[in-house]
Amino acid sequence: MTANRRFRNVTHIGPVQVATYYDGQGREKHTAACTAPRCGFATDYDSRAAAELAARTHRCAVR
């Protein structure tokens, strides 16, 4: 079964997108995901501030 997530409040910080969504248990989660090709950085956080901090400090290993 696939997860049907509806992202809201999406912002870009450099190549990283930060968005808010509700997980399967109805809890609000925040994600940071890099959109650069072959990067693969994507993490979930409980707070928006943590996701934005991860986006600001992310450095792509692939150049």
Side-chain angles (χ1 to χ4, degrees):
M1 185 171 164
T2 61
N4 185 11
R5 297 185 180 146
R6 293 186 183 241
F7 294 103
R8 58 187 172 83
N9 198 10
V10 178
T11 59
H12 289 268
I13 300 174
V16 181
Q17 283 186 342
V18 178
T20 303
Y21 70 95
Y22 289 104
D23 68 357
Q25 271 53 34
R27 296 175 295 214
E28 187 176 66
K29 294 287 189 169
H30 310 277
T31 188
C34 186
T35 59
R38 300 185 323 265
C39 179
F41 170 77
T43 54
D44 291 334
Y45 297 95
D46 291 330
S47 72
R48 178 79 181 195
E52 289 181 3
L53 178 64
R56 285 188 179 90
T57 59
H58 171 68
R59 299 290 177 255
C60 291
V62 179
R63 294 274 179 199

